[in-house]
Amino acid sequence: MADDERSLEGTHTVRFVADELLTSGQVAKRLGINPSTLARYVREGKLKPSLTLPSGHHRWTWEDVLEQLRTQQGEN
């Protein structure tokens, strides 16, 4: 497995460069919202994290976040 591949629970191989993954707090800060608001968006299905760790913590790529927001704008 290459350095930029991670296998989680043997079911998926995810290709991310670790520096590209953001925490929920980092994403909330970039969006200018409270982290609890981001968590609510995830619960409501408005945003989907790029990766959910076995611990339940979410990780995001900024590109995924922007694409999801663009898609939602196009639907409205």
Side-chain angles (χ1 to χ4, degrees), residues 6-30:
R6 311 275 175 173
S7 180
L8 298 177
E9 299 179 8
T11 58
H12 296 80
T13 300
V14 182
R15 288 180 171 264
F16 291 119
V17 175
D19 292 341
E20 292 178 352
L21 292 176
L22 303 170
T23 66
S24 293
Q26 291 169 319
V27 170
K29 186 173 183 175
R30 285 188 183 195

Side-chain angles (χ1 to χ4, degrees), residues 6 10-11 14 16 22 26-28 31 36 38-40 48-49 52-54 57 61 63 66 70:
R6 311 275 175 173
T11 58
V14 182
F16 291 119
L22 303 170
Q26 291 169 319
V27 170
L31 292 174
S36 63
L38 181 60
R40 180 169 43 92
K48 183 179 176 189
T52 299
L53 301 174
H57 292 100
T61 63
E63 294 78 20
L66 293 177
R70 279 188 214 108

